[in-house]
Amino acid sequence: MPRGPQQPPRVVILDYGSGNLRSAERALARAGGDVTVTADLSAAADADGLVVPGVGAYAACMAGVEALDAGPVIAERVAAGRPVLGICVGMQILFEYGEERGVVTKGLGLLPGGVTRLPAERVPHMGWNEVQAAPDSMLFAGLPTGTRFYFVHSYAAFGAGPGVTTCTHEEPFVAAVERGPLSATQFHPEKSGDAGAALLRNWVTSLG
């Protein structure tokens, strides 16, 4: 259903049993979205922007997505050029696989590569850290070099390439990805203060 020119973008946060989603709901509403938290796949398909959250274990998040049969909706949105934002483990499950404690779980395969344990002495990586934004990034537009965001994770994707923002915790890892309609952050923008608020405003504004 099309929205009027003065209406805020309709944002759906996909509720597949991943935990408390209210902080993300509040942050996206402050960023200018008309936000709904729901497991309704029709609403997820029709929204101007879909947010895929995620906390905890990769396998548990994928099990929740599969129980809801939400994978095809997410993939169809991306194929149609319709915006999706993954957050934390919601970013990780967009990759081809995740390996945790020797168990490999198939992901959604919308991003190449996999998610593995951080090769660092201090794990989890918890707290504020700087990111190196990808050139011409939409998510990080207007944010100065060295801006800090809030991370809580023990696993990550690795590698560089177009649209990849990195962070270093003893070793560089993927902090965010932007590939056409698909955006994702390893950190929690909803817990990242003014910087996270600015990033979410950039994303909501991009929804038109």
Side-chain angles (χ1 to χ4, degrees), residues 57-116:
Y58 189 107
C61 285
M62 273 306 302
V65 168
E66 289 171 350
L68 195 60
D69 198 24
V73 172
I74 299 168
E76 286 162 13
R77 283 189 63 96
V78 173
R82 307 196 64 212
V84 172
L85 173 65
I87 296 176
C88 197
V89 185
M91 166 179 147
Q92 294 180 359
I93 62 173
L94 299 172
F95 286 85
E96 292 171 322
Y97 68 90
E99 182 178 353
E100 291 185 348
R101 298 178 178 85
V103 176
V104 177
T105 302
K106 184 179 179 181
L108 296 175
L110 300 175
L111 292 170
V115 172
T116 55

Side-chain angles (χ1 to χ4, degrees), residues 13-190:
I13 300 174
L14 186 64
D15 184 0
Y16 60 91
S18 168
N20 180 12
L21 308 178
R22 298 306 166 187
S23 59
E25 179 185 21
R26 290 190 296 268
L28 284 155
R30 287 194 297 269
D34 176 8
V35 186
T36 303
V37 177
T38 183
D40 185 328
L41 295 182
S42 295
D46 292 342
D48 297 311
L50 175 64
V51 177
V52 181
V55 294
Y58 189 107
C61 285
M62 273 306 302
V65 168
E66 289 171 350
L68 195 60
D69 198 24
V73 172
I74 299 168
E76 286 162 13
R77 283 189 63 96
V78 173
R82 307 196 64 212
V84 172
L85 173 65
I87 296 176
C88 197
V89 185
M91 166 179 147
Q92 294 180 359
I93 62 173
L94 299 172
F95 286 85
E96 292 171 322
Y97 68 90
E99 182 178 353
E100 291 185 348
R101 298 178 178 85
V103 176
V104 177
T105 302
K106 184 179 179 181
L108 296 175
L110 300 175
L111 292 170
V115 172
T116 55
R117 187 172 172 84
L118 285 164
E121 290 186 17
R122 294 179 293 110
V123 175
H125 173 218
M126 182 182 298
W128 297 83
N129 206 341
E130 296 181 1
V131 303
Q132 290 72 50
D136 302 317
S137 166
M138 173 274 289
L139 288 179
F140 298 92
L143 289 167
T145 301
T147 296
R148 291 174 176 267
F149 294 86
Y150 187 78
F151 292 83
V152 184
H153 63 120
S154 299
Y155 298 83
F158 300 89
V164 173
T165 288
T166 60
C167 179
T168 299
H169 177 62
E170 299 183 31
E171 300 281 345
F173 65 88
V174 177
V177 180
E178 296 169 72
R179 296 278 174 88
L182 185 59
S183 303
T185 67
Q186 178 60 68
F187 54 84
H188 284 275
E190 77 279 9

